Amino acid sequence: MSEQTALRGVFPREHRGIVLRPLDAGDAEEYAEGTRDPEVARFAHLPLPEYTPDTVRRLAAWDVPKGFDSGDLAVLSIVDADGGGFLGSLVLFDITGHQAELGFWLAPGARGRGVAVRAVAAAVSSARALGLTALVARTAEDNRASQRTLAAAGFTRTGDPEETTVPSGQRAVTLRYRLDLEEHGQH
Ligand SMILES: CC(C)(COP(=O)(O)OP(=O)(O)OC[C@H]1O[C@@H](n2cnc3c(N)ncnc32)[C@H](O)[C@@H]1OP(=O)(O)O)[C@@H](O)C(=O)NCCC(=O)NCCS
């Protein structure tokens, strides 16, 4: 199966009350608003310095289908399975045949009720469906919420803090996390 078919076959994906689906133009206002939250601005290391509703509509029209076509990038929205309300963003990037990196943020009003853990669990189930053998993530040393989210979803920390280039293009000291997906496999 080609990567293109693989990504389009896996999303939208529902898991315990939330759905991961491709970012679309209808998310523009809420996505742009979410990126203005200070925690997102500080910790999410998003590729663009600023997101307006127009920027997000362009992402939805061009970058999202391009990522699905090439198979190396899934820009997803986290939405409520009951009503489809926008909750946040989850991106699988640098997808290879074996692994992908995970990034995520939630709108402030969606936090504190387990949405992030369920969204990451949905990403894990998607990664298994894609046949990946591992998911990785990076987080700032002082981002307790992200670290606890990753730990609750089964990720473990690997190695010491190190300076890496994050998706914004900046250098930042990050902790690396990893989840092997073959633990219960048959190899
Ligand atoms: C990180 C984030 C997605 C967590 O979302 P959330 O839905 O509130 O998280 P959950 O309710 O699923 O809780 C997940 C874990 O984080 C913990 N947590 C949540 N907010 C926390 C906070 N402010 N401080 C410390 N721990 C926190 C929860 O207690 C839970 O841990 P536990 O299972 O050990 O009790 C959200 O805070 C966010 O969007 N932050 C800004 C962007 C960001 O940091 N993204 C990650 C970049 S790597």
Side-chain angles (χ1 to χ4, degrees):
M1 191 191 295
S2 72
E3 294 296 329
Q4 172 180 347
T5 313
L7 279 181
R8 294 203 194 279
V10 165
F11 301 109
R13 192 162 191 92
E14 182 173 354
H15 179 79
R16 294 175 56 209
I18 61 110
V19 176
L20 297 181
R21 58 139 174 86
L23 172 80
D24 69 35
D27 302 328
E29 304 284 341
E30 287 165 291
Y31 185 105
E33 175 71 27
T35 62
R36 286 196 285 277
D37 171 66
E39 301 267 303
V40 174
R42 179 169 169 214
F43 288 129
H45 301 300
L46 299 177
L48 300 180
E50 191 187 355
Y51 291 80
T52 66
D54 274 346
T55 316
V56 182
R57 282 188 277 272
R58 277 197 295 278
L59 278 178
W62 298 103
D63 300 62
V64 174
K66 192 172 154 217
F68 271 74
D69 286 345
S70 61
D72 62 3
L73 174 68
V75 182
L76 305 163
S77 289
I78 307 164
V79 302
D80 201 328
D82 183 15
F86 179 88
L87 301 171
S89 171
L90 186 145
V91 177
L92 292 173
F93 60 103
D94 291 345
I95 306 172
T96 67
H98 306 288
Q99 70 171 47
E101 182 159 354
L102 170 71
F104 51 90
W105 58 262
L106 289 186
R111 293 180 196 159
R113 50 187 163 97
V115 170
V117 173
R118 284 182 285 143
V120 174
V124 169
S125 132
S126 308
R128 285 189 201 281
L130 287 165
L132 304 186
T133 56
L135 277 178
V136 297
R138 284 173 288 169
T139 180
E141 264 185 296
D142 54 349
N143 191 350
R144 296 292 303 151
S146 172
Q147 291 161 30
R148 289 181 66 159
T149 299
L150 290 165
F155 284 68
T156 51
R157 196 179 136 183
T158 55
D160 294 323
E162 65 181 298
E163 194 177 282
T164 60
T165 303
V166 290
S168 61
Q170 293 167 314
R171 301 284 291 171
V173 176
T174 56
L175 300 176
R176 288 184 186 276
Y177 280 76
R178 178 180 183 91
L179 176 64
D180 286 311
L181 301 171
E182 288 190 317
E183 283 154 23
H184 307 294
Q186 290 150 25
H187 61 116

